[in-house]
Amino acid sequence: YLVYEYLPAGAEYAEMGFFEFDAHNGTIGAFLDAPFYAYNLEPGYYIELWDGTIKGHKLPPGLYVLAVYAEYKGLSTIKAGLFEIKR
């Protein structure tokens, strides 16, 4: 899987974290892991190749949340999006 976020100004630091999706409440659920991070990113896409595992275990089919945290010149932002693993 390719996981990515567009960083129009770049970032001094960015990380990607995975969460469960709480379908009952329509909210972000439990934190799973933040396996990707990088420093001094140029403007554009921050892309990582992900094997579909968290801490060595393959995630079962279902809905999950990918959240990206980025810092640049003393400001920080978080974006999150829903994705589905089908098999």
Side-chain angles (χ1 to χ4, degrees):
Y1 303 95
L2 288 178
V3 291
Y4 60 90
E5 180 59 54
Y6 182 67
L7 303 169
E12 294 164 344
Y13 175 77
E15 69 180 39
M16 295 184 188
F18 294 92
F19 295 80
E20 293 178 351
F21 176 65
D22 183 343
H24 177 72
N25 295 311
T27 60
I28 294 175
F31 173 74
L32 298 172
D33 195 14
F36 303 116
Y37 61 90
Y39 295 91
N40 301 318
L41 294 161
E42 296 292 326
Y45 285 95
Y46 169 36
I47 301 170
E48 294 284 358
L49 182 60
W50 177 54
D51 64 2
T53 66
I54 296 293
K55 299 179 182 174
H57 301 283
K58 193 157 194 73
L59 287 179
L63 293 173
Y64 297 90
V65 175
L66 172 65
V68 179
Y69 168 83
E71 296 176 356
Y72 183 69
K73 294 189 176 184
L75 300 174
S76 62
T77 188
I78 297 175
K79 290 185 179 181
L82 197 60
F83 70 97
E84 181 177 11
I85 295 178
K86 293 190 177 191
R87 54 182 169 144

